[in-house]
Amino acid sequence: MRLRLAPDNTNFDFFKHRKLTFGGSCVAMVLSVVVWLMMGLNFGIDFKGGTTIRTESVQVVDVGAYRAALDPLDLGDVTITQVFDPTFGADQNVAMIRIQSQDGQESVGADLVVAVGEALKTVDPTITFPSVESVGPKVSGELIMTALLAVGVSLAAILFYIWLRFEWQFSVGAVFALFHDVILTVGIFSLLQIRFDLATIAALLTIIGYSINDTVVIFDRLRENLIKFRKRDLQDVMNLSVNETLSRTLMTSGTTLLALIALLILGGDVIRGFVFAITWGVVVGTYSSVFVAKNVVLMLGVNRDDKPADKGNQFADIEA
């Protein structure tokens, strides 16, 4: 028996409440920017600067015990990650402890590093500290600029690819939907003050890739239907295209969310921000593919008179 998340031959009118769906998305984008400007982002050590301490011990690393030992020191943002490597011996247990800059200093002071060492020795007397490295504000600023550049270049490349693959109206709609996804994700991180670090940037790039994949599937079906139903109203053809791909959209998003929710609940504190960003991005990315991208294309319009009978434009036969 085949599982169906949506019945065959659905005929939902996705434009019926477009003032609410598309207009609500635009309002949400504006509010996200306002929240971002007013509350700012809770930058992690990667962007604020701080110190990374590498520990090594004979006993198995207990992240919870390490964190409990460091809590009385009131160090602010502390990330503890166990390091796994097949080259390590059975008695070689390594962890990375990242501590944010204290009171505007470039790194954690030597006295505080000593205090951290003493606190951890109460948990594991065999612990040693092979290396202590600091990230100053200059490096953090470079990381912020590199992260912004990575997101910007990816959006520009997608804009160019969608233009080649379809039409310029499609590329504008797709990139607007991606901006929608990124801005709403940054907005929710600012509102909830979830730690924003390089892992979150990786999550944003993952969201962009996931969302554009879903949008391209709908656009590809739309292009086929625009050739097949030349005289049919553009809005009706768009509705038909979304309905025809609805089962695939729900199945892909649903199975992805199953894995992400499991990681969100069971994955632990280290990856929770990363997983939350992708989970949120899958939801808003699916929404934007259905309710945002096609509304932009509808407003811009598509010239259907100059299309040959077998392809959308001169670049349409490029393999995805």
Side-chain angles (χ1 to χ4, degrees):
M1 185 175 181
R2 187 164 61 92
L3 176 64
R4 293 185 179 92
L5 295 184
D8 294 332
N9 302 317
T10 56
N11 190 29
F12 297 115
D13 185 0
F14 293 97
F15 289 93
K16 185 176 182 179
H17 303 290
R18 69 173 180 172
K19 289 184 179 179
L20 179 63
T21 55
F22 183 68
S25 293
C26 294
V27 171
M29 291 173 68
V30 173
L31 290 177
S32 295
V33 173
V34 171
V35 170
W36 180 14
L37 294 176
M38 292 182 63
M39 299 182 63
L41 290 169
N42 180 21
F43 286 116
I45 295 171
D46 297 323
F47 295 140
K48 289 193 300 187
T51 296
T52 299
I53 302 174
R54 181 184 176 93
T55 71
E56 189 171 325
S57 64
V58 176
Q59 298 182 19
V60 176
V61 174
D62 187 338
V63 174
Y66 283 19
R67 190 176 299 280
L70 296 179
D71 280 344
L73 299 179
D74 194 22
L75 300 174
D77 183 14
V78 178
T79 302
I80 305 173
T81 309
Q82 186 173 1
V83 179
F84 297 96
D85 193 307
T87 63
F88 290 167
D91 60 347
Q92 191 177 12
N93 299 283
V94 179
M96 300 295 290
I97 301 175
R98 295 184 177 184
I99 306 172
Q100 72 176 47
S101 299
Q102 307 292 308
D103 301 325
Q105 299 177 6
E106 288 196 9
S107 60
V108 176
D111 55 340
L112 201 51
V113 173
V114 173
V116 169
E118 293 176 349
L120 293 177
K121 283 183 179 293
T122 63
V123 177
D124 182 359
T126 67
I127 197 168
T128 59
F129 307 95
S131 67
V132 178
E133 299 177 352
S134 297
V135 177
K138 182 178 179 180
V139 175
S140 299
E142 292 175 354
L143 288 175
I144 293 175
M145 294 305 299
T146 303
L148 292 174
L149 181 62
V151 175
V153 169
S154 64
L155 290 174
I158 289 171
L159 177 73
F160 182 67
Y161 168 76
I162 298 298
W163 172 74
L164 291 181
R165 182 70 178 168
F166 300 99
E167 303 284 350
W168 69 268
Q169 296 94 331
F170 288 75
S171 65
V172 173
V175 171
F176 185 87
L178 295 182
F179 270 111
H180 167 274
D181 302 340
V182 171
I183 290 174
L184 260 61
T185 302
V186 172
I188 197 70
F189 265 70
S190 178
L191 180 65
L192 301 179
Q193 287 297 289
I194 302 173
R195 186 172 62 246
F196 194 93
D197 50 21
L198 285 179
T200 310
I201 297 298
L204 288 177
L205 295 175
T206 304
I207 291 168
I208 290 174
Y210 179 91
S211 180
I212 195 62
N213 177 70
D214 203 27
T215 303
V216 165
V217 169
I218 297 175
F219 279 176
D220 204 43
R221 183 58 59 88
L222 174 59
R223 185 183 61 186
E224 294 174 1
N225 287 335
L226 285 174
I227 298 172
K228 188 176 180 181
F229 304 104
R230 285 178 169 273
K231 302 302 181 182
R232 197 165 175 176
D233 184 71
L234 178 59
Q235 180 173 313
D236 292 339
V237 177
M238 286 185 168
N239 260 329
L240 174 65
S241 302
V242 178
N243 277 287
E244 288 179 345
T245 56
L246 184 60
S247 180
R248 180 263 177 204
T249 298
L250 293 178
M251 184 66 74
T252 304
S253 301
T255 52
T256 305
L257 286 174
L258 285 176
L260 290 172
I261 291 172
L263 283 173
L264 193 61
I265 297 173
L266 305 173
D269 181 68
V270 174
I271 64 170
R272 185 158 290 131
F274 172 78
V275 177
F276 174 81
I278 297 182
T279 304
W280 170 264
V282 168
V283 174
V284 298
T286 303
Y287 179 90
S288 67
S289 297
V290 175
F291 292 105
V292 176
K294 65 183 181 57
N295 274 286
V296 175
V297 176
L298 181 65
M299 289 188 294
L300 294 174
V302 178
N303 185 3
R304 303 161 65 182
D305 297 330
D306 60 349
K307 290 180 173 58
D310 59 342
K311 56 181 69 177
N313 64 16
Q314 66 268 36
F315 300 106
D317 57 349
I318 298 176
E319 292 298 327

